[in-house]
Amino acid sequence: MGPESGQDKPSSAQELSDLVRKLCEEQDGSKCESIADQLLDFSQSLLQRTGETPAEPAEQTQLWNCAVSLWNIAVAKSTGGNIHQQLNAKLRHLACNLAFTASPTRTNFASTKRLIEMATKTGRTWLDCNNPSMADQSLELALEGLSKIKTLVENLGDTMVGEGSAFRQQTRDLTKEEFKIYCCKSEALTRQDQWEEASLWIEKAKPLLTKIPTEGPYLAMLCYNIACEAMQKEKYENAVSWLRESLEIGKGRHQVEAKLQARSLRLLATAYIQWDPVQYFQQALNSVGLANTLR
C-alpha cells in the first residue's frame, strides 16, 4: 500500500498543475471562475490529504510552483481587469493555502517573509470584498508565518546581525508587515462587530510605531475610519472610544495634520451628542472648541 500511495501523490499535484496551466491560458472571465472552483474543490481534498500525511519533497515543490503560478495569475488578471475582485481574492486565497502547505522545506527568512506577505495581501483583498471572515482565515496564516519568522530570527540572530544594514532593513520590513497584519485583524474584527477584540490588535500595533513612526498617521486614520463605521451602525459608545484612540495616536510625534485632528474632534462631538446629549453635552462642547483652535 505504501508504494501505491507514494505514486498517487505526485499525480494529484500534477493534476492541480494542469488546472493552473489551463487557468493561465484562459481569457474568458466566466470560464476562469469555473476553473477556479475546480481548483478550489481539488485543492481542498489535496490539502486535507497532505494534512493527514505530509507531502513528500517532490510534491511540496510542485505545490509551491502551483502556488506561485496561481499568485502571479491573480496579480496579472486583476491588473488587466480580466477578473472581478471576488475571484481575485479566491485565487490569492488558494495560492496562499497551497504555499503554506508546501512551506515545511522552505524555512529561510526570505521565503517565510514572502508567505507572510501573501497571506496579508490576501486578507486585505478579502476585506476589500467585504468578506471579513475569509480575511480572518488568511490573517491567521500570516500570524502563523510571523511566529515562525520571529523564531527564525531569534535562532539566527547572531549570524544575521553580522550582515549589518541588510539585516536592519529586513527586520524593519518585517516590522512593517507585522503592523499591517495587526491593522487588518482589527479591521476584520470591527466589521464583525467584535469591537473590544479589535481594540486589542490596535494595542499590539501601537508599540511598533517606535520603530516605524511614519505609520502613525495611517493608524490614526484607521481608527477614525472604524469610528465612522461605528457611527453608521449607531454604535456611538464605540465610535467615541475609537475617535479618542485616533486623536491620541495623532498627537505629538506621529504628526497627523491639524485639519484631520479637527475633523476627528468634530465627529467626536457628534458621537457624544448621539450617545447621550445630556450626560455628554460638555464633552461635545469641549471637542468642538478644541477643533476650532486647530488650523
Side-chain angles (χ1 to χ4, degrees):
M1 180 165 179
E4 288 179 4
S5 176
Q7 289 172 2
D8 180 61
K9 285 184 180 180
S11 65
S12 296
Q14 184 58 51
E15 189 174 347
L16 187 66
S17 244
D18 292 341
L19 283 171
V20 171
R21 192 177 302 109
K22 185 178 178 182
L23 178 65
C24 183
E25 295 169 355
E26 185 56 64
Q27 297 300 318
D28 183 87
S30 60
K31 290 181 179 178
C32 285
E33 185 88 47
S34 176
I35 296 170
D37 287 338
Q38 292 178 56
L39 276 165
L40 192 59
D41 291 341
F42 188 80
S43 66
Q44 283 176 341
S45 62
L46 184 61
L47 292 173
Q48 182 178 3
R49 178 174 59 72
T50 54
E52 296 168 354
T53 306
E56 296 175 359
E59 186 179 24
Q60 285 184 353
T61 298
Q62 281 187 295
L63 291 175
W64 177 264
N65 290 337
C66 284
V68 172
S69 295
L70 267 174
W71 187 268
N72 292 337
I73 289 168
V75 172
K77 289 187 178 294
S78 176
T79 303
N82 296 327
I83 58 174
H84 55 76
Q85 198 171 45
Q86 191 78 16
L87 180 53
N88 178 32
K90 188 184 293 184
L91 291 176
R92 287 175 183 259
H93 187 84
L94 177 54
C96 193
N97 283 350
L98 286 173
F100 271 83
T101 300
S103 67
T105 57
R106 293 170 170 78
T107 55
N108 62 68
F109 186 95
S111 61
T112 307
K113 181 171 175 288
R114 183 175 185 183
L115 287 172
I116 295 169
E117 290 171 347
M118 288 173 69
T120 307
K121 288 178 180 177
T122 301
R124 179 70 260 170
T125 306
W126 279 123
L127 284 174
D128 291 341
C129 295
N130 198 28
N131 194 331
S133 62
M134 289 299 291
D136 259 339
Q137 291 185 30
S138 298
L139 294 170
E140 284 303 314
L141 285 179
L143 288 168
E144 177 188 321
L146 185 64
S147 177
K148 288 180 180 178
I149 205 169
K150 284 184 174 181
T151 301
L152 187 63
V153 170
E154 288 174 5
N155 293 340
L156 300 177
D158 292 339
T159 57
M160 294 180 75
V161 168
E163 298 180 17
S165 60
F167 173 69
R168 286 194 295 273
Q169 184 59 47
Q170 285 180 327
T171 53
R172 179 179 171 80
D173 290 345
L174 182 59
T175 300
K176 285 184 177 181
E177 206 60 37
E178 183 178 3
F179 178 81
K180 289 178 188 176
I181 296 169
Y182 295 164
C183 289
C184 285
K185 277 291 292 183
S186 182
E187 190 174 345
L189 287 166
T190 54
R191 295 208 192 168
Q192 298 172 83
D193 292 327
Q194 298 179 45
W195 304 93
E196 290 185 12
E197 293 88 341
S199 67
L200 296 178
W201 290 99
I202 294 297
E203 290 303 314
K204 285 177 176 286
K206 282 160 61 177
L208 300 179
L209 293 178
T210 58
K211 298 178 181 178
I212 45 172
T214 55
E215 296 297 332
Y218 174 84
L219 191 60
M221 181 59 69
L222 174 62
C223 292
Y224 174 85
N225 290 339
I226 290 174
C228 289
E229 185 172 345
M231 291 288 287
Q232 291 173 357
K233 294 180 177 181
E234 300 183 356
K235 304 282 187 179
Y236 301 118
E237 182 177 359
N238 288 316
V240 166
S241 176
W242 284 95
L243 285 166
R244 291 176 66 177
E245 186 70 79
S246 176
L247 287 162
E248 188 63 32
I249 293 169
K251 287 181 181 178
R253 68 191 218 162
H254 299 312
Q255 298 298 314
V256 173
E257 292 182 35
K259 65 179 182 180
L260 297 179
Q261 290 286 82
R263 181 181 65 176
S264 295
L265 284 164
R266 291 190 176 95
L267 185 59
L268 178 61
T270 301
Y272 274 130
I273 293 299
Q274 294 290 345
W275 183 10
D276 188 328
V278 176
Q279 184 173 353
Y280 297 110
F281 176 78
Q282 189 58 51
Q283 286 91 329
L285 195 63
N286 293 344
S287 296
V288 171
L290 184 55
N292 290 337
T293 66
L294 298 176
R295 295 289 185 268

